[in-house]
Amino acid sequence: MKTKKTSNSFFFKLIASFTIFMTAGIFTLVSSSKTVSATNVDLRSPIVLKENVVNEMRVCDETSVTLSSNASTGYAWDVTFSKSGILDLVSSEYIETQTQSDPVIVGAPGKQVFKLKAVAPGNCTLTFKYFMPYAGVESATETIVYHINVLPENVLPENVLPENGSPNGEISKINTVKISDTFIVKLPSNSSTGYSWSYTASDPKIISLISSDYVASSDIPGAPGTQVFTFEPTTTGNVTLTFKYYRPFEGIKSYSKTVVCDIQIVNP
């Protein structure tokens, strides 16, 4: 009887183990087959601010600045904005150094994290200073500066024009272009970020690309510029141009902006 009981016990343990294994397997399969909607995925690359360049953001973009700090020394980071109303300080938090064995190491350095959000187009300079608040800003031992250019949330082309410079219509409507006219599309760009505009045409037979040029706004490193596309109609008809702003070495999935132009090519 003892042998039978042991055998039954082993049998039930085997069944239980098999059931757990199968259940885990089912959950794994369900999890792996879950579909993520593209509308819930932010395809923009994280914005990392850099010194000595003009950093480009757009309205509603968020970023964070993490700086080494040590609260035990009495020093702390503070930030000032050259212009109000362009960037908002969402939060400022000091995070102490922690380990698994000792939750908080007294006197150990930590980090200060500033979270920022772009709220309006414009240029703004952030100046971070590390000083003793009770001793005043004159006690600062470190200074970090970031220059930021905030673009509108939905960046639109400057215009769609024929070569002679007269407007052909608003971007939100169908732009009418005569078959005898070349036309241009100008888009804000910044080559120092690694991003550039690329386009696709719904019907490549209707237009041809004459040139694509980047025009810098100044000689300042990191300053934004303009990407200029010049097109020539080849036949009458309707065509949709879709421009995407992305890093070519990261692929089309790294795009951060999209602009769509509907164009109708007509006879003179």
Side-chain angles (χ1 to χ4, degrees), residues 209-256:
L209 178 68
I210 297 176
S211 64
S212 174
D213 301 304
Y214 178 80
V215 181
S217 60
S218 72
D219 295 331
I220 300 174
T226 304
Q227 203 164 335
V228 182
F229 293 86
T230 304
F231 296 95
E232 181 180 42
T234 54
T235 185
T236 58
N238 296 315
V239 62
T240 297
L241 299 178
T242 302
F243 297 85
K244 287 188 179 292
Y245 193 56
Y246 66 95
R247 290 188 173 112
F249 56 87
E250 291 181 353
I252 190 68
K253 289 186 178 180
S254 68
Y255 80 90
S256 63

Side-chain angles (χ1 to χ4, degrees), residues 143-179:
T143 301
I144 296 176
V145 178
Y146 295 110
H147 301 288
I148 300 174
N149 178 36
V150 178
L151 300 171
E153 182 176 8
N154 297 314
V155 180
L156 295 177
E158 183 178 319
N159 45 39
V160 176
L161 304 173
E163 199 168 41
N164 60 16
S166 61
N168 277 305
E170 297 177 2
I171 292 303
S172 58
K173 300 177 182 179
I174 294 178
N175 299 273
T176 303
V177 178
K178 294 178 181 179
I179 195 170

Side-chain angles (χ1 to χ4, degrees), residues 30-50:
V30 171
S31 176
S32 64
S33 63
K34 182 179 179 180
T35 302
V36 180
S37 172
T39 57
N40 296 326
V41 179
D42 189 356
L43 296 179
R44 287 176 287 173
S45 300
I47 297 173
V48 179
L49 300 184
K50 298 179 180 179

Side-chain angles (χ1 to χ4, degrees), residues 88-197:
D88 272 354
L89 179 61
V90 178
S91 64
S92 174
E93 179 185 10
Y94 179 78
I95 302 174
E96 297 177 311
T97 299
Q98 295 183 344
T99 64
Q100 293 181 349
S101 58
D102 190 349
V104 177
I105 301 174
V106 179
K111 56 186 177 181
Q112 245 175 293
V113 181
F114 295 84
K115 292 184 178 180
L116 303 153
K117 183 175 183 178
V119 294
N123 295 296
C124 183
T125 298
L126 304 179
T127 303
F128 293 85
K129 287 186 176 292
Y130 192 54
F131 63 95
M132 293 178 176
Y134 58 84
V137 71
E138 294 79 11
S139 64
T141 59
E142 292 182 64
T143 301
I144 296 176
V145 178
Y146 295 110
H147 301 288
I148 300 174
N149 178 36
V150 178
L151 300 171
E153 182 176 8
N154 297 314
V155 180
L156 295 177
E158 183 178 319
N159 45 39
V160 176
L161 304 173
E163 199 168 41
N164 60 16
S166 61
N168 277 305
E170 297 177 2
I171 292 303
S172 58
K173 300 177 182 179
I174 294 178
N175 299 273
T176 303
V177 178
K178 294 178 181 179
I179 195 170
S180 56
D181 289 332
T182 58
F183 65 95
I184 63 173
V185 177
K186 296 181 179 180
L187 297 166
S189 184
N190 192 331
S191 60
S192 69
T193 63
Y195 281 86
S196 62
W197 290 97

